[in-house]
Amino acid sequence: MSKPAADPPDNGEEIYDILLVDDQPIIAEAIKRMLVTEPDMRFHYCQASDRALQLAHEIQPTVILQDLVMPDTDGMQLLAAYRNDAALSEVPVVILSTKEDPHDKSAAFAAGASDYLVKIPDRIELIARIRAHSRSYLSQKQRDELLQEIKIVHEQLKAVYAQLHQSHQELEKLSCMDGLTGISNRRHFDTYFSQEWLRALREKISTSLILVDIDYFKLYNDHYGHQAGDLCLQAIAQALADTLQRPGDLAARYGGEEFVVLLPYTDAKGAENIAKQLLDTVKKLAVAHAQSPIDAHVTISLGVATLTPDSSVAPSDLVQIADTALYQAKEQGRNRYVLADISLLPKAPRPKAKVKTRKPR
Ligand SMILES: [Mg+2]
């Protein structure tokens, strides 16, 4: 192995390392002389075939010039060894042969040689081929490294995206949830009602809504304290949500001790059934209410309204007639449901309105 033939240029240009593997020092001397004037080329020489792989690992050549006939081995065996070595498999190998033999040439290319030259090659041609193979090898190497970096960054981005997606879903869930009772909050109800209203309008199907109020809840709070009041709200909320069996049905906290139940694709008969079940479920909870003038346990009143949306009614109309029905249920002694009177609806056509619901009492 020789020392570098010339000092490399210090202008940021690529340096090409050429490893010649040939048993004849006279060939090495001839080729070294051809390359010595080239400032971008460093010449390395290996005489013994059994050291070729090790030297190639040390030097990391951009081109290997490989003698075809050597003692103990031949150039084709070494070529196969380079190709089977992960660190060398892409390094261009130029076979140096003593004769122009089509059979050898074809075998060399089939085994992965990049080029085939007859000794001793013409200087201009040798330099041109070394440069072309080295450039192509180095730029391919850079592309591979870049691709590898891109793959790593891509994997990192994927992991970050997955985390963001999960956080977003958790936030979304939290922003839809009522903090005290764990069921849907008013905000989520408004959004959901808006969507379902439009769907019912398109498909001309009836939608039902039930407003639920806990009877004498102020007396309950005054008597048992606010902590017990919160537990009572949680129990009622959970009971309402548990009563709803269909995936499209929604129970939400409307505010204070009021709840709302939305029943898409539900007619008046179906809504009345649900109202009965809700009354029954709360009754079975049997939460003691010593101050209630009407029962020993906590009870609820319900206003039940059903509409098939058209352009003459707005979502707020459904809430309004349910509210009127709830008021009537209270007037009639509480612990009951009242079905809304649809004739109370405004008659005149009105522009389409967004969901606008009243403030809870
Ligand atoms: Mg030889």
Side-chain angles (χ1 to χ4, degrees):
M1 180 186 158
S2 76
K3 296 273 178 197
D7 284 338
D10 194 19
N11 56 6
E13 275 183 25
E14 283 177 331
I15 300 296
Y16 307 132
D17 283 295
I18 298 106
L19 173 60
L20 171 68
V21 182
D22 196 305
D23 58 305
Q24 290 178 281
I26 192 169
I27 300 287
E29 191 55 32
I31 290 180
K32 181 184 168 185
R33 280 170 191 237
M34 289 182 192
L35 305 183
V36 77
T37 51
E38 304 307 309
D40 58 346
M41 294 190 184
R42 280 192 299 231
F43 179 75
H44 311 268
Y45 174 50
C46 172
Q47 186 180 6
S49 58
D50 57 355
R51 290 205 62 220
L53 272 178
Q54 190 199 330
L55 264 181
H57 274 271
E58 287 169 15
I59 293 163
Q60 299 186 25
T62 57
V63 163
I64 296 172
L65 305 177
Q66 177 60 55
D67 181 21
L68 196 54
V69 182
M70 297 182 78
D72 305 326
T73 183
D74 68 18
M76 294 299 285
Q77 278 177 301
L78 276 173
L79 175 60
Y82 303 140
R83 289 297 165 255
N84 288 324
D85 188 309
L88 304 171
S89 63
E90 302 295 325
V91 176
V93 176
V94 179
I95 295 293
L96 296 179
S97 174
T98 47
K99 57 183 191 299
E100 182 83 32
D101 181 327
H103 176 263
D104 283 355
K105 208 183 232 182
S106 144
F109 284 120
S114 311
D115 218 333
Y116 185 99
L117 292 173
V118 174
K119 288 193 274 194
I120 291 185
D122 170 66
R123 179 178 170 271
I124 303 288
E125 188 181 1
L126 178 67
I127 288 171
R129 294 200 186 195
I130 285 173
R131 246 179 220 131
H133 287 303
S134 294
R135 274 187 197 137
S136 153
Y137 168 68
L138 287 177
S139 69
Q140 183 60 49
K141 204 173 159 191
Q142 280 171 357
R143 275 199 294 272
D144 290 349
E145 284 165 2
L146 197 62
L147 198 67
Q148 197 53 37
E149 280 173 36
I150 290 172
K151 274 183 190 161
I152 291 169
V153 171
H154 180 72
E155 287 304 314
Q156 289 169 338
L157 279 177
K158 255 167 69 178
V160 168
Y161 178 77
Q163 266 181 339
L164 273 178
H165 183 67
Q166 197 189 340
S167 305
H168 178 77
Q169 279 185 322
E170 281 164 14
L171 271 179
E172 187 88 339
K173 200 175 158 191
L174 280 176
S175 73
C176 290
M177 209 173 80
D178 175 56
L180 176 66
T181 61
I183 66 171
S184 290
N185 60 19
R186 172 72 173 268
R187 178 180 164 277
H188 182 229
F189 166 75
D190 285 346
T191 308
Y192 187 66
F193 185 26
S194 207
Q195 289 166 1
E196 289 305 316
W197 181 269
L198 290 175
R199 193 203 305 273
L201 197 61
R202 277 199 307 272
E203 299 178 15
K204 299 181 174 58
I205 44 169
S206 50
T207 293
S208 294
L209 184 145
I210 305 176
L211 281 175
V212 181
D213 194 33
I214 301 179
D215 297 326
Y216 300 110
F217 187 66
K218 189 180 178 309
L219 294 180
Y220 185 93
N221 260 340
D222 290 347
H223 183 69
Y224 295 101
H226 284 280
Q227 264 188 314
D230 286 350
L231 290 175
C232 175
L233 285 172
Q234 286 166 357
I236 301 288
Q238 205 51 58
L240 297 180
D242 289 348
T243 304
L244 304 178
Q245 297 295 323
R246 299 178 311 174
D249 296 346
L250 179 81
R253 187 169 180 208
Y254 202 59
E257 70 271 26
E258 278 198 0
F259 300 93
V260 62
V261 171
L262 185 69
L263 305 166
Y265 294 91
T266 306
D267 60 12
K269 188 75 198 156
E272 188 175 1
N273 277 333
I274 297 287
K276 284 177 184 166
Q277 287 175 36
L278 294 174
L279 270 177
D280 195 43
T281 308
V282 171
K283 187 180 174 186
K284 281 181 184 153
L285 276 182
V287 179
H289 191 343
Q291 299 298 305
S292 172
I294 55 166
D295 201 290
H297 299 104
V298 169
T299 57
I300 53 174
S301 297
L302 306 94
V304 184
T306 300
L307 266 183
T308 302
D310 61 38
S311 58
S312 71
V313 287
S316 56
D317 293 329
L318 186 60
V319 176
Q320 201 188 323
I321 58 172
D323 192 39
T324 306
L326 173 60
Y327 179 78
Q328 289 166 347
K330 290 181 183 183
E331 286 292 294
Q332 291 169 21
R334 294 179 164 88
N335 191 20
R336 74 196 60 218
Y337 65 87
V338 165
L339 301 180
D341 183 356
I342 202 162
S343 70
L344 294 174
L345 282 172
K347 288 288 184 285
R350 56 163 75 191
K352 279 182 191 171
K354 284 170 66 181
V355 174
K356 189 166 181 287
T357 50
R358 63 163 178 80
K359 288 245 186 305
R361 276 183 293 258

